[in-house]
Amino acid sequence: MHFVKAKGILSPQNGMNLYRGCSHGCIYCDSRSKCYQMNHDFEDIEVKENALTLLEHTLKHKRKKCMIGTGSMTDPYIPLELELLHVRRALELVLEYGFGFTVITKSSRILRDIDLLQKINERTKCVVQMTLTTCEEELCKKIEPHVSTTRERFGALKQLRDAGIPTVVWLTPVLPFLNDTEENISGILDLCMEAGVYGVICFGMGLTLREGNREYFYGQLDRLFPGLREKYIQAYGNQYLIESPNNSRLMELFDRKCEQGGMVHRNQQIFQYLQTYEEKNTASQLSLFGDFD
């Protein structure tokens, strides 16, 4: 890891990244793309040493309460967090100043902070977003090698449910010729239903490949699934959007099972929910992120 001083901490949409880079090793990670201008090795975690000071100053002077988000670029629950505790201290500030909170992660380490997540949710709203890509444990260990397995994430979702904390699942990416099967999509949605998730985000059955993450992905395919790179190149060339040949059938299955399970599955509706600040025990709801078309 290395330390830097940040000029600011919250984006215009009230998102933050306390760290840059990741050690989870997911073979498909879009955050490796060169367009994000990460000028250091991806596994060499960049720590914003003044992030908490900036966050407290920003929250203290914000005119209106809102949802604070994290995890869109870097999973905040990397192993380093157990040592530095930056996420936990950020949660304490969010709670102290009365803001809402949402986080995207693949790690059951989030359960360490369930006490703070619960307190935030009792006062305003806290939503945990968890990514699930495969219900096959062995495949999970290959494509997401240094993070909680699907079963561990599923266990975390159930504990969050029992604590009264709403959850959302990201069903993405779906890798052609690997996890783009009816059995896998159906299995993930069954887990979501059992865990009582609010909704499931899905952008279609496929993934994106850009300069930087494409090269890493193909290198991992060579190592883990010999011959699959050639199949990808033959089918997709250098396309940015890699759509599963099973997309139509799998999306029909996705829509049908979400409807049956009572899970919200329109991305616009879920994002509106995630971005709407709610003050408990009042009739007021305030959305600070603007309307979606």
Side-chain angles (χ1 to χ4, degrees):
M1 67 176 172
H2 64 282
F3 293 86
V4 299
K5 282 193 178 294
K7 294 181 180 179
I9 190 59
L10 289 186
S11 73
Q13 294 76 35
N14 297 307
M16 65 177 176
N17 285 295
L18 300 171
Y19 308 116
R20 291 193 80 203
C22 188
S23 54
H24 287 341
C26 303
I27 70 172
Y28 49 74
C29 183
D30 178 69
S31 294
R32 292 180 181 273
S33 301
K34 288 188 177 180
C35 63
Y36 298 120
Q37 300 179 341
M38 200 172 296
N39 300 317
H40 55 85
D41 289 341
F42 195 68
E43 287 77 13
D44 179 16
I45 310 299
E46 179 179 288
V47 180
K48 299 175 182 178
E49 59 184 342
N50 58 335
L52 297 170
T53 300
L54 290 172
L55 180 61
E56 181 167 23
H57 180 270
T58 302
L59 297 183
K60 187 183 296 186
H61 293 89
K62 258 192 176 297
R63 295 171 59 189
K64 294 181 180 180
K65 298 293 192 292
C66 64
M67 295 291 288
I68 303 297
T70 192
S72 61
M73 280 291 296
T74 295
D75 192 323
Y77 285 99
I78 51 179
L80 189 62
E81 166 59 19
L82 297 179
E83 172 188 344
L84 297 181
L85 302 176
H86 282 195
V87 178
R88 184 165 181 85
R89 288 169 183 152
L91 285 169
E92 291 171 345
L93 292 172
V94 168
L95 175 63
E96 178 181 352
Y97 290 98
F99 286 77
F101 185 75
T102 185
V103 56
I104 307 172
T105 185
K106 296 176 187 170
S107 177
S108 61
R109 293 187 190 96
I110 193 170
L111 295 175
R112 180 202 65 182
D113 296 331
I114 198 168
D115 58 330
L116 292 172
L117 300 173
Q118 205 167 9
K119 288 176 182 177
I120 293 171
N121 193 56
E122 289 169 355
R123 182 172 180 179
T124 58
K125 183 169 73 178
C126 178
V127 186
V128 173
Q129 304 171 62
M130 188 79 72
T131 301
L132 298 179
T133 60
T134 176
C135 57
E136 298 179 27
E137 288 290 275
E138 291 309 309
L139 181 59
C140 178
K141 292 174 184 178
K142 287 185 176 182
I143 66 176
E144 300 159 342
H146 306 306
V147 69
S148 303
T149 68
T150 299
R151 286 290 165 186
E152 291 167 340
R153 289 177 230 172
F154 173 55
L157 286 169
K158 290 195 293 184
Q159 288 191 55
L160 291 163
R161 174 203 63 197
D162 293 344
I165 299 167
T167 57
V168 165
V169 162
W170 289 68
L171 202 170
T172 183
V174 177
L175 310 178
F177 320 121
L178 282 175
N179 63 341
D180 60 337
T181 65
E182 291 188 13
E183 293 77 12
N184 183 53
I185 301 305
S186 183
I188 290 173
L189 294 175
D190 285 342
L191 295 179
C192 292
M193 283 187 274
E194 186 176 343
V197 306
Y198 167 84
V200 184
I201 294 171
C202 180
F203 296 99
M205 302 296 166
L207 76 157
T208 57
L209 292 178
R210 292 187 268 203
E211 184 181 5
N213 81 308
R214 177 187 289 109
E215 291 78 6
Y216 184 82
F217 178 66
Y218 281 166
Q220 296 305 305
L221 290 186
D222 287 342
R223 183 174 67 87
L224 298 167
F225 309 100
L228 193 53
R229 174 212 285 255
E230 289 71 22
K231 194 171 183 179
Y232 266 79
I233 293 174
Q234 183 176 11
Y236 304 107
N238 286 324
Q239 287 178 215
Y240 163 64
L241 180 61
I242 309 299
E243 184 178 271
S244 166
N246 305 321
N247 180 68
S248 296
R249 186 173 76 253
L250 294 178
M251 285 305 298
E252 289 177 4
L253 172 65
F254 171 77
D255 289 335
R256 184 173 67 252
K257 290 209 67 162
C258 285
E259 290 285 349
Q260 292 171 351
M263 299 181 293
V264 178
H265 56 108
R266 301 301 178 205
N267 293 347
Q268 174 184 332
Q269 184 178 350
I270 298 173
F271 290 139
Q272 187 71 51
Y273 170 72
L274 292 171
Q275 297 164 342
T276 300
Y277 174 81
E278 300 175 10
E279 189 171 354
K280 298 291 176 67
N281 302 320
T282 72
S284 63
Q285 289 189 347
L286 181 63
S287 176
L288 303 180
F289 288 73
D291 294 330
F292 286 82
D293 295 328

PDB file of all heavy atoms in Angstrom, residues 234-246:
ATOM      1  N   GLN A 234     -12.718 -15.034 -31.243  1.00  0.00           N
ATOM      2  CA  GLN A 234     -13.459 -15.442 -32.442  1.00  0.00           C
ATOM      3  C   GLN A 234     -14.893 -14.923 -32.403  1.00  0.00           C
ATOM      4  O   GLN A 234     -15.451 -14.496 -33.416  1.00  0.00           O
ATOM      5  CB  GLN A 234     -13.455 -16.960 -32.568  1.00  0.00           C
ATOM      6  CG  GLN A 234     -14.140 -17.474 -33.833  1.00  0.00           C
ATOM      7  CD  GLN A 234     -14.042 -18.987 -33.978  1.00  0.00           C
ATOM      8  OE1 GLN A 234     -13.640 -19.671 -33.048  1.00  0.00           O
ATOM      9  NE2 GLN A 234     -14.394 -19.497 -35.145  1.00  0.00           N
ATOM     10  N   ALA A 235     -15.507 -14.939 -31.229  1.00  0.00           N
ATOM     11  CA  ALA A 235     -16.907 -14.537 -31.106  1.00  0.00           C
ATOM     12  C   ALA A 235     -17.089 -13.031 -31.020  1.00  0.00           C
ATOM     13  O   ALA A 235     -18.068 -12.483 -31.539  1.00  0.00           O
ATOM     14  CB  ALA A 235     -17.532 -15.203 -29.879  1.00  0.00           C
ATOM     15  N   TYR A 236     -16.113 -12.319 -30.396  1.00  0.00           N
ATOM     16  CA  TYR A 236     -16.341 -10.914 -30.073  1.00  0.00           C
ATOM     17  C   TYR A 236     -15.274  -9.947 -30.594  1.00  0.00           C
ATOM     18  O   TYR A 236     -15.495  -8.734 -30.561  1.00  0.00           O
ATOM     19  CB  TYR A 236     -16.454 -10.744 -28.547  1.00  0.00           C
ATOM     20  CG  TYR A 236     -17.513 -11.610 -27.928  1.00  0.00           C
ATOM     21  CD1 TYR A 236     -17.171 -12.722 -27.160  1.00  0.00           C
ATOM     22  CD2 TYR A 236     -18.860 -11.328 -28.106  1.00  0.00           C
ATOM     23  CE1 TYR A 236     -18.148 -13.531 -26.581  1.00  0.00           C
ATOM     24  CE2 TYR A 236     -19.847 -12.120 -27.533  1.00  0.00           C
ATOM     25  CZ  TYR A 236     -19.487 -13.216 -26.776  1.00  0.00           C
ATOM     26  OH  TYR A 236     -20.447 -14.014 -26.211  1.00  0.00           O
ATOM     27  N   GLY A 237     -14.139 -10.447 -31.031  1.00  0.00           N
ATOM     28  CA  GLY A 237     -13.074  -9.552 -31.465  1.00  0.00           C
ATOM     29  C   GLY A 237     -12.660  -8.631 -30.334  1.00  0.00           C
ATOM     30  O   GLY A 237     -12.430  -9.081 -29.208  1.00  0.00           O
ATOM     31  N   ASN A 238     -12.607  -7.314 -30.612  1.00  0.00           N
ATOM     32  CA  ASN A 238     -12.252  -6.332 -29.585  1.00  0.00           C
ATOM     33  C   ASN A 238     -13.465  -5.529 -29.126  1.00  0.00           C
ATOM     34  O   ASN A 238     -13.345  -4.377 -28.720  1.00  0.00           O
ATOM     35  CB  ASN A 238     -11.172  -5.383 -30.102  1.00  0.00           C
ATOM     36  CG  ASN A 238      -9.815  -6.044 -30.163  1.00  0.00           C
ATOM     37  OD1 ASN A 238      -9.469  -6.865 -29.303  1.00  0.00           O
ATOM     38  ND2 ASN A 238      -9.030  -5.702 -31.170  1.00  0.00           N
ATOM     39  N   GLN A 239     -14.649  -6.138 -29.163  1.00  0.00           N
ATOM     40  CA  GLN A 239     -15.859  -5.445 -28.737  1.00  0.00           C
ATOM     41  C   GLN A 239     -15.758  -5.007 -27.279  1.00  0.00           C
ATOM     42  O   GLN A 239     -15.143  -5.678 -26.444  1.00  0.00           O
ATOM     43  CB  GLN A 239     -17.077  -6.363 -28.888  1.00  0.00           C
ATOM     44  CG  GLN A 239     -17.520  -6.601 -30.316  1.00  0.00           C
ATOM     45  CD  GLN A 239     -18.690  -7.558 -30.382  1.00  0.00           C
ATOM     46  OE1 GLN A 239     -18.789  -8.351 -31.313  1.00  0.00           O
ATOM     47  NE2 GLN A 239     -19.585  -7.501 -29.401  1.00  0.00           N
ATOM     48  N   TYR A 240     -16.402  -3.892 -26.994  1.00  0.00           N
ATOM     49  CA  TYR A 240     -16.489  -3.409 -25.608  1.00  0.00           C
ATOM     50  C   TYR A 240     -17.539  -4.196 -24.838  1.00  0.00           C
ATOM     51  O   TYR A 240     -17.300  -4.662 -23.733  1.00  0.00           O
ATOM     52  CB  TYR A 240     -16.829  -1.920 -25.608  1.00  0.00           C
ATOM     53  CG  TYR A 240     -17.327  -1.393 -24.287  1.00  0.00           C
ATOM     54  CD1 TYR A 240     -16.493  -1.385 -23.163  1.00  0.00           C
ATOM     55  CD2 TYR A 240     -18.620  -0.901 -24.145  1.00  0.00           C
ATOM     56  CE1 TYR A 240     -16.943  -0.903 -21.941  1.00  0.00           C
ATOM     57  CE2 TYR A 240     -19.073  -0.412 -22.934  1.00  0.00           C
ATOM     58  CZ  TYR A 240     -18.237  -0.424 -21.833  1.00  0.00           C
ATOM     59  OH  TYR A 240     -18.693   0.061 -20.629  1.00  0.00           O
ATOM     60  N   LEU A 241     -18.713  -4.368 -25.438  1.00  0.00           N
ATOM     61  CA  LEU A 241     -19.793  -5.086 -24.787  1.00  0.00           C
ATOM     62  C   LEU A 241     -19.800  -6.535 -25.254  1.00  0.00           C
ATOM     63  O   LEU A 241     -19.944  -6.824 -26.444  1.00  0.00           O
ATOM     64  CB  LEU A 241     -21.141  -4.432 -25.110  1.00  0.00           C
ATOM     65  CG  LEU A 241     -22.380  -5.084 -24.479  1.00  0.00           C
ATOM     66  CD1 LEU A 241     -22.285  -5.054 -22.957  1.00  0.00           C
ATOM     67  CD2 LEU A 241     -23.648  -4.386 -24.949  1.00  0.00           C
ATOM     68  N   ILE A 242     -19.606  -7.438 -24.317  1.00  0.00           N
ATOM     69  CA  ILE A 242     -19.546  -8.868 -24.605  1.00  0.00           C
ATOM     70  C   ILE A 242     -20.849  -9.489 -24.115  1.00  0.00           C
ATOM     71  O   ILE A 242     -21.042  -9.695 -22.912  1.00  0.00           O
ATOM     72  CB  ILE A 242     -18.338  -9.520 -23.895  1.00  0.00           C
ATOM     73  CG1 ILE A 242     -17.047  -8.744 -24.176  1.00  0.00           C
ATOM     74  CG2 ILE A 242     -18.209 -10.975 -24.283  1.00  0.00           C
ATOM     75  CD1 ILE A 242     -16.671  -8.674 -25.620  1.00  0.00           C
ATOM     76  N   GLU A 243     -21.760  -9.778 -25.023  1.00  0.00           N
ATOM     77  CA  GLU A 243     -23.071 -10.298 -24.649  1.00  0.00           C
ATOM     78  C   GLU A 243     -23.116 -11.811 -24.808  1.00  0.00           C
ATOM     79  O   GLU A 243     -22.682 -12.363 -25.817  1.00  0.00           O
ATOM     80  CB  GLU A 243     -24.148  -9.657 -25.521  1.00  0.00           C
ATOM     81  CG  GLU A 243     -25.563 -10.065 -25.152  1.00  0.00           C
ATOM     82  CD  GLU A 243     -26.602  -9.369 -26.002  1.00  0.00           C
ATOM     83  OE1 GLU A 243     -27.032  -8.265 -25.617  1.00  0.00           O
ATOM     84  OE2 GLU A 243     -26.964  -9.919 -27.070  1.00  0.00           O
ATOM     85  N   SER A 244     -23.655 -12.468 -23.799  1.00  0.00           N
ATOM     86  CA  SER A 244     -23.791 -13.921 -23.862  1.00  0.00           C
ATOM     87  C   SER A 244     -24.704 -14.311 -25.015  1.00  0.00           C
ATOM     88  O   SER A 244     -25.731 -13.671 -25.249  1.00  0.00           O
ATOM     89  CB  SER A 244     -24.380 -14.451 -22.551  1.00  0.00           C
ATOM     90  OG  SER A 244     -24.821 -15.780 -22.703  1.00  0.00           O
ATOM     91  N   PRO A 245     -24.377 -15.383 -25.733  1.00  0.00           N
ATOM     92  CA  PRO A 245     -25.299 -15.882 -26.761  1.00  0.00           C
ATOM     93  C   PRO A 245     -26.627 -16.345 -26.172  1.00  0.00           C
ATOM     94  O   PRO A 245     -27.608 -16.516 -26.894  1.00  0.00           O
ATOM     95  CB  PRO A 245     -24.526 -17.043 -27.392  1.00  0.00           C
ATOM     96  CG  PRO A 245     -23.483 -17.420 -26.398  1.00  0.00           C
ATOM     97  CD  PRO A 245     -23.137 -16.167 -25.664  1.00  0.00           C
ATOM     98  N   ASN A 246     -26.661 -16.521 -24.853  1.00  0.00           N
ATOM     99  CA  ASN A 246     -27.881 -16.945 -24.174  1.00  0.00           C
ATOM    100  C   ASN A 246     -28.640 -15.773 -23.551  1.00  0.00           C
ATOM    101  O   ASN A 246     -29.540 -15.975 -22.727  1.00  0.00           O
ATOM    102  CB  ASN A 246     -27.544 -17.955 -23.067  1.00  0.00           C
ATOM    103  CG  ASN A 246     -26.765 -19.149 -23.588  1.00  0.00           C
ATOM    104  OD1 ASN A 246     -27.036 -19.638 -24.676  1.00  0.00           O
ATOM    105  ND2 ASN A 246     -25.792 -19.612 -22.824  1.00  0.00           N
TER     106      ASN A 246
END
